[in-house]
Amino acid sequence: MDSGTGARKERPKPREPAARLEKAKQRSAQQELKQRQRAEIYALNRVMTELEQQQFDSFCKQMQGSGE
């Protein structure tokens, strides 16, 4: 019967609560990073779209002025 208990000792230990907590913190930090990057990308896209519209409006005004 001792060999049965010996086999149990060789099994990997279940994760300790500290390790589980650390993994949860890492997962949370990764999610926050993704959310921040996504928000930055949307903000940059909005700024670039506005700039493109301003440049287009300027171009249209310039073309109207030279066409008259």
Side-chain angles (χ1 to χ4, degrees):
M1 291 292 166
D2 287 350
S3 63
T5 58
R8 277 186 173 170
K9 288 182 182 179
E10 291 176 14
R11 278 186 168 177
K13 290 184 178 180
R15 290 187 177 238
E16 307 236 349
R20 230 182 284 154
L21 182 61
E22 184 62 30
K23 187 161 186 163
K25 283 182 182 179
Q26 288 176 352
R27 197 176 307 124
S28 176
Q30 189 69 24
Q31 286 178 340
E32 288 178 19
L33 177 63
K34 283 183 181 181
Q35 287 177 346
R36 180 178 175 185
Q37 288 175 335
R38 186 180 181 103
E40 288 175 358
I41 288 169
Y42 278 116
L44 181 60
N45 188 32
R46 184 171 50 252
V47 169
M48 294 300 289
T49 301
E50 290 173 2
L51 178 61
E52 183 180 14
Q53 186 62 46
Q54 289 174 3
Q55 290 176 338
F56 180 72
D57 291 343
S58 175
F59 172 76
C60 289
K61 286 179 184 176
Q62 187 179 22
M63 293 307 286
Q64 285 177 351
S66 64
E68 292 180 11

